[in-house]
Amino acid sequence: MRFALTAEQRQFAATLHELLTDTPGEKAWPALAELGVTALAVPTERGGLGADPTDLVVAFEELGHHAVPGPLVETLAAVPALLAALDDTRWLPDLASGDLVASLAFPPHLPYAADADAAGLVLAVEESTVRIASVHGPALSTVDPSRRLFAIEAGAVLAIGSEALAAAERAFDLGVLACAAELLGAGRAMLELAVGYVKQRTQFGRPIGSFQAVKHHLADVHVALELARPLLYGAALSLTPYDVSAAKIAATQAAQRAA
């Protein structure tokens, strides 16, 4: 078996990279919807593309590479997966079209909802219960100024029981996978910035990138990123909690080393 991205997936990544280079930041959202990124995790019968997790990984690596802000993991991966598994069709078409931004709290792992004040749908998952939620109080202090966190107040029950638990578990794993892909993309971007810098910065009359100690640090980052990549794509194929966790750990460590 040839374990590699298809030509279509590589082209999708290249197109997304070009789009995000030309339209960075929050302005990218309409363009992402037009390209179909917002529809990836939504089933085809609900107006989406019904893409598999590997396609989501391709998209999220580029989203992380360009540091696109907002609750992307929630809106593009976790919430569509949760609603689709529950067969709740009310919000899926708007998620697919990009007209709806969603946020999600998943205590204890994810106790706060990101950018919930700007979300048209906020959900809260507690074990086997899924509820519609609302913002409770002002934004909380966070180390990431592009990601505003809010405490939430759980409201009406959307689903409860074993079906809700199974749907929540799949949504959580898909969210972790998407987050790992974002981290891999962010790590790539930081490595590219560092390489560009050490080619220009000089010391003792030479670019500092020519010094062996600097080369070793850059090589360590590159190796860490490349070792995380097969774990990430393997997890996208299996989507088991063990594989997803391994990919998240590897991507986190690689991104931290890059930083």
Side-chain angles (χ1 to χ4, degrees), residues 216-242:
H216 284 173
H217 282 300
L218 296 173
D220 287 344
V221 173
H222 178 72
V223 169
L225 290 169
E226 290 306 307
L227 288 178
R229 189 179 303 280
L231 290 175
L232 181 63
Y233 286 109
L237 291 175
S238 69
L239 209 62
T240 64
Y242 181 89

Side-chain angles (χ1 to χ4, degrees), residues 194-219:
V195 170
Y197 178 75
V198 301
K199 288 179 179 178
Q200 298 175 8
R201 172 68 186 274
T202 60
Q203 194 171 17
F204 306 116
R206 297 168 54 192
I208 62 173
S210 65
F211 300 145
Q212 191 174 49
V214 175
K215 290 180 181 179
H216 284 173
H217 282 300
L218 296 173

Side-chain angles (χ1 to χ4, degrees), residues 13-230:
T15 301
L16 186 54
H17 172 70
E18 184 178 349
L19 182 151
L20 294 174
T21 300
D22 294 336
T23 54
E26 296 178 353
K27 297 180 180 179
W29 189 258
L32 291 175
E34 186 176 348
L35 190 60
V37 176
T38 56
L40 286 173
V42 178
T44 53
E45 61 270 20
R46 304 305 175 195
L49 297 177
D52 61 42
T54 307
D55 297 316
L56 272 177
V57 163
V58 172
F60 272 97
E61 184 176 345
E62 281 305 322
L63 292 170
H65 186 215
H66 291 271
V68 179
L72 300 176
V73 170
E74 297 88 343
T75 303
L76 305 183
V79 170
L82 179 61
L83 294 176
L86 293 174
D87 200 26
D88 191 315
T89 63
R90 286 174 285 178
W91 296 285
L92 288 172
D94 286 339
L95 285 169
S97 65
D99 293 330
L100 179 65
V101 174
S103 191
L104 177 68
F106 221 123
H109 308 290
L110 196 69
Y112 304 113
D115 301 303
D117 60 331
L121 174 65
V122 181
L123 299 178
V125 179
E126 295 181 4
E127 297 181 352
S128 60
T129 304
V130 180
R131 296 177 182 269
I132 300 174
S134 59
V135 171
H136 181 68
L140 303 172
S141 176
T142 170
V143 295
D144 182 357
S146 70
R147 190 171 174 84
R148 302 172 68 243
L149 301 180
F150 291 86
I152 54 95
E153 184 174 0
V157 174
L158 193 66
I160 191 170
S162 58
E163 181 183 0
L165 180 61
E169 288 175 345
R170 176 173 175 80
F172 184 81
D173 288 338
L174 198 63
V176 172
L177 184 72
C179 185
E182 273 192 318
L183 285 165
L184 187 66
R188 276 178 50 212
M190 289 186 281
L191 179 60
E192 290 166 4
L193 288 170
V195 170
Y197 178 75
V198 301
K199 288 179 179 178
Q200 298 175 8
R201 172 68 186 274
T202 60
Q203 194 171 17
F204 306 116
R206 297 168 54 192
I208 62 173
S210 65
F211 300 145
Q212 191 174 49
V214 175
K215 290 180 181 179
H216 284 173
H217 282 300
L218 296 173
D220 287 344
V221 173
H222 178 72
V223 169
L225 290 169
E226 290 306 307
L227 288 178
R229 189 179 303 280

